[in-house]
């Protein structure tokens, strides 16, 4: 069984926020990281930071909904580094809030293509390599928005619950090949959250105080270490689970 520092990972949405934090932390622990995102400049900046710290990484633009491009990313990772061990399906398009009756088909399609379908694309592209080596880690991203049902978030929430369903079915089917499939539901600061805080400082502070820990999570310190555990050898018997990581703000029954 490979140690974490022997692994190759693809991290989607690695140009900012949680995805960037995950890419940096994995690289610091010896993982070779393929950073993907829809825009080249942010993911290249993440790669530059990784290399400055002595890590190995390269960047490829990719919209997860583009199945052909996803396969190109996985094939390039295998060509460059010899295998693919970890897929971190973090990238997700954010759609406008809307109540159920006003949610558009276009926004539903965008949420599902970038989330559930995009995650499936990467999973299916990596599967043959993981099956052959009898080992792999798939880490998908869902949200408490879907688990608990937040009003005004139909497109995003329903997609995120579908990601959890995808995770559970894949864990059942792929366990025989040594592939662990788990789902993380994070609560952390992001560029979008910071912009919102600047516009609505009082509401932001109210939301912070509602969290039992009186803060939002830090992508590198709070979220990424859990991803490192799920990507490593110590999680080899842990699969099919949904992990809420938001400082006890959301607690599943």
């Amino acid at each position: 069984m490979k140690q974490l520092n022997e692994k190759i990972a693809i991290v989607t949405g690695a140009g900012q926020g949680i995805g960037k934090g995950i890419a940096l932390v994995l690289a610091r622990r010896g993982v070779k990281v393929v950073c993907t995102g829809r825009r080249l400049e942010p993911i290249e900046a993440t790669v530059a930071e990784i290399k400055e710290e002595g890590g190995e990484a390269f960047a490829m633009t990719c919209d997860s909904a583009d199945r052909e491009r996803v396969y190109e990313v996985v094939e390039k990772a295998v060509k460059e580094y010899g295998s693919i061990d970890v897929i971190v399906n973090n990238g997700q398009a954010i759609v406008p809030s809307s109540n159920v009756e006003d949610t558009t088909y276009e926004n539903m399609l965008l949420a599902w293509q970038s989330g559930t379908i995009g995650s499936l694309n990467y999973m299916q592209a990596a599967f043959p390599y993981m099956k052959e080596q009898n080992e792999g880690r798939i880490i998908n991203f869902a949200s408490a928005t879907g688990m608990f049902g937040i009003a005004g978030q139909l497109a995003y929430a329903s997609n995120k619950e579908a990601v959890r369903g995808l995770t559970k079915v894949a864990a059942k089917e792929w366990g025989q090949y040594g592939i662990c499939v788990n789902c993380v539901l994070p609560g952390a600061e992001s560029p979008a959250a910071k912009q919102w805080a600047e516009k609505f400082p009082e509401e932001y502070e109210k939301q912070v105080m509602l969290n039992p820990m009186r803060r939002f999570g830090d992508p590198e310190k709070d979220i990424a270490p859990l991803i490192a555990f799920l990507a490593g050898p110590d999680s080899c018997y842990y699969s099919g689970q949904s992990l809420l990581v938001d400082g006890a703000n959301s607690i599943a029954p």
Side-chain angles (χ1 to χ4, degrees), residues 97-217:
S97 300
S98 178
N99 53 29
V100 174
E101 62 269 26
D102 294 326
T103 297
T104 66
Y105 171 81
E106 289 75 19
N107 282 339
M108 284 290 286
L109 186 63
L110 175 60
W112 282 67
Q113 285 183 328
S114 63
T116 306
I117 300 301
S119 297
L120 177 62
N121 285 341
Y122 269 107
M123 291 168 66
Q124 290 180 328
F127 174 70
Y129 302 102
M130 293 182 175
K131 179 182 177 181
E132 182 178 3
Q133 66 188 15
N134 199 42
E135 183 179 357
R137 300 288 187 272
I138 305 290
I139 304 163
N140 294 326
F141 274 70
S143 172
T145 303
M147 179 180 281
F148 296 100
I150 305 301
Q153 300 293 330
L154 174 63
Y156 183 76
S158 62
N159 155 66
K160 286 303 189 181
E161 280 298 274
V163 170
R164 291 209 306 134
L166 168 64
T167 298
K168 289 183 279 189
V169 172
K172 290 283 189 178
E173 293 186 4
W174 292 358
Q176 62 185 309
Y177 307 120
I179 302 171
C180 297
V181 190
N182 289 292
C183 195
V184 175
L185 294 73
E189 289 280 11
S190 67
K194 291 177 181 178
Q195 292 175 6
W196 180 71
E198 292 175 359
K199 293 177 65 176
F200 307 102
E202 293 182 2
E203 182 63 25
Y204 175 82
E205 185 61 26
K206 177 182 175 182
Q207 293 302 317
V208 169
M209 294 307 295
L210 287 173
N211 187 295
M213 293 191 179
R214 303 296 188 265
R215 67 181 180 86
F216 291 139

